[in-house]
Amino acid sequence: MFDWFQLASKKEKRMIQLRRYLHQYPELSFEEKQTHDYIVNQLSQLSCDIQTPVGRNGIKATFKGKGEGPTIAFRADFDALPVQELNDVPYKSKNDGCMHACGHDGHTAILLGVAEIVNEHRHLLKGNVVFIFQYGEEIMPGGSQEMINDGCLQDVDKIYGTHLWSGYPTGTIYSRPGPIMASPDEFSITIQGRGGHGAKPQETIDPIVIMAEFILSAQKIVSRTIDPVKQAVLTFGMVQAGSSDSVIPDSAFCKGTVRTFDTNLQNHIKTKMDKLLQGLAVANDITYDFNYIKGYLPLHNHQQAYEVVKQAANDMHLRFNESDLMMIGEDFSHYLKVRPGAFFLTGCGNQDKNITAPHHNPYFDIDESSFKYAASEFLKILELENVF
């Protein structure tokens, strides 16, 4: 129908301009007022219906067609991270301690670029196109569920989204059917013992030793109670106890994460952790506090929507690959529990440009030439879904 890649390429400078502005003025999750207003201002220049706030701070923009085709939604997130940027670039973050270190500025710029192209060809729309701009993806419970509860998917038939990915080279599209991203749970544990002098351990109940025993025993939950062909991760990221070399403290504290693709495994690990703590409590006369927070749902792509993503990439002569399973979390998963759809990764790494830093890193950056690939993929999806 159209050379979508050519249209996206013509919009490349515009998308870069949008991204660089957003990059200079990042805002943390659930605090994105200026970012919200900037997006609304850009959308207000187009012929679309704008609904805001959706949820706490979200935006829904709808381009209406002739009513002959389906309603397809695209989603971008727009929050940033509490990271001090170390890149020496003209568009460096102007907000101390805050940085777009995960590509959300690029996601938003891409969708705004796609919205402008749709607007320029809106007279050809058979169906409707919905653009969802979401706040608060980085911090649980995330913004997606609040936006869903407020009706952002009303009348939507399918939803698609992308994540720029520095681990994959520019010009590539990655996805897979079924599970693609995990559920990122969080936990914290406090073991309450009885402190005392380091020279008289017999008069204490040492929470450090008991915490060490728990951490070592917990590693066996995955390695010895779960089928090896299934994926699960249990990681301790923080352990705190005491402040002196000769004092046994009263308590010890730890935090960590559990990552799974299966809610049965998720519940199994949580139950096993609690049983270990119960046993240590009986054996050592301690008390404990176990706080387990279930994260975003595992992200599962719908088969037919995945096939659309794959066909779009192949038809556009992009380099399509099946993604590995990823233990990261994404609250796009909540949309896919309500409507069919698919999530794909757009490569934005470029060794020749020294753009290789991982996500959430102070040196993270994006090869901005990746924007036209993501934009053309979205546009081709609209054609395949009979919206154009």
Side-chain angles (χ1 to χ4, degrees), residues 35-310:
T35 306
H36 166 277
D37 293 347
Y38 179 78
I39 296 169
V40 170
N41 181 59
Q42 301 304 313
L43 291 169
S44 66
Q45 301 172 43
L46 310 178
S47 297
C48 60
D49 296 333
I50 302 172
Q51 180 183 346
T52 189
V54 183
R56 199 174 315 190
N57 197 31
I59 306 157
K60 178 180 179 180
T62 304
F63 291 84
K64 295 183 178 179
K66 302 172 185 177
E68 302 168 1
T71 297
I72 302 299
F74 297 144
R75 172 271 205 169
D77 39 17
F78 57 78
D79 55 327
L81 287 158
V83 174
Q84 182 67 43
E85 182 163 16
L86 298 180
N87 289 314
D88 184 16
V89 291
Y91 48 90
K92 184 177 181 178
S93 171
K94 296 181 184 294
N95 295 340
D96 286 343
C98 188
M99 176 191 175
H100 273 294
C102 199
H104 296 188
D105 51 341
H107 302 165
T108 300
I110 290 164
L111 274 206
L112 287 172
V114 173
E116 291 183 5
I117 295 171
V118 169
N119 184 67
E120 292 161 7
H121 299 85
R122 62 186 181 278
H123 60 288
L124 299 174
L125 284 175
K126 301 174 188 176
N128 307 315
V129 189
V130 172
F131 292 87
I132 295 171
F133 295 91
Q134 182 203 311
Y135 58 94
E137 190 276 333
E138 294 289 359
I139 296 180
M140 290 190 291
S144 63
Q145 191 61 57
E146 292 179 352
M147 292 190 69
I148 292 167
N149 293 343
D150 205 15
C152 76
L153 293 181
Q154 184 176 351
D155 300 323
V156 168
D157 294 302
K158 288 182 186 175
I159 183 167
Y160 293 88
T162 193
H163 203 305
L164 294 165
W165 202 251
S166 65
Y168 293 144
T170 296
T172 58
I173 301 292
Y174 281 76
S175 190
R176 65 181 293 126
I180 180 171
M181 294 182 180
S183 179
D185 299 351
E186 300 174 358
F187 65 84
S188 63
I189 298 166
T190 300
I191 290 178
Q192 188 67 41
R194 184 174 67 241
H197 200 294
K200 296 184 177 182
Q202 75 279 6
E203 297 177 359
T204 73
I205 300 176
D206 190 338
I208 294 177
V209 172
I210 298 166
M211 179 66 80
E213 185 177 352
F214 170 73
I215 291 172
L216 289 173
S217 296
Q219 298 306 307
K220 294 186 290 186
I221 295 174
V222 172
S223 67
R224 287 297 176 269
T225 73
I226 292 176
D227 187 336
V229 302
K230 296 182 178 179
Q231 296 83 13
V233 170
L234 195 169
T235 294
F236 292 87
M238 176 193 295
V239 182
Q240 294 177 336
S243 59
S244 171
D245 61 352
S246 62
V247 177
I248 293 173
D250 285 321
S251 64
F253 175 80
C254 74
K255 291 179 70 175
T257 184
V258 172
R259 307 286 172 124
T260 58
F261 295 96
D262 184 311
T263 54
N264 290 329
L265 280 184
Q266 180 187 53
N267 293 329
H268 170 81
I269 292 172
K270 178 178 180 291
T271 299
K272 285 290 188 180
M273 291 174 73
D274 199 26
K275 285 185 176 181
L276 278 176
L277 289 165
Q278 291 174 26
L280 289 169
V282 171
N284 297 280
D285 295 323
I286 55 125
T287 59
Y288 67 90
D289 179 63
F290 179 33
N291 184 30
Y292 193 101
I293 301 173
K294 290 187 177 181
Y296 304 147
L297 298 170
L299 198 160
H300 285 250
N301 282 333
H302 295 254
Q303 179 72 39
Q304 190 275 339
Y306 159 79
E307 296 293 344
V308 171
V309 169
K310 182 178 180 179

Side-chain angles (χ1 to χ4, degrees), residues 331-357:
D331 75 345
F332 189 84
S333 57
H334 295 151
Y335 298 111
L336 295 182
K337 285 294 182 180
V338 181
R339 294 289 188 273
F343 198 66
F344 61 94
L345 300 164
T346 300
C348 69
N350 191 320
Q351 291 188 352
D352 293 338
K353 297 180 181 179
N354 198 31
I355 299 175
T356 58

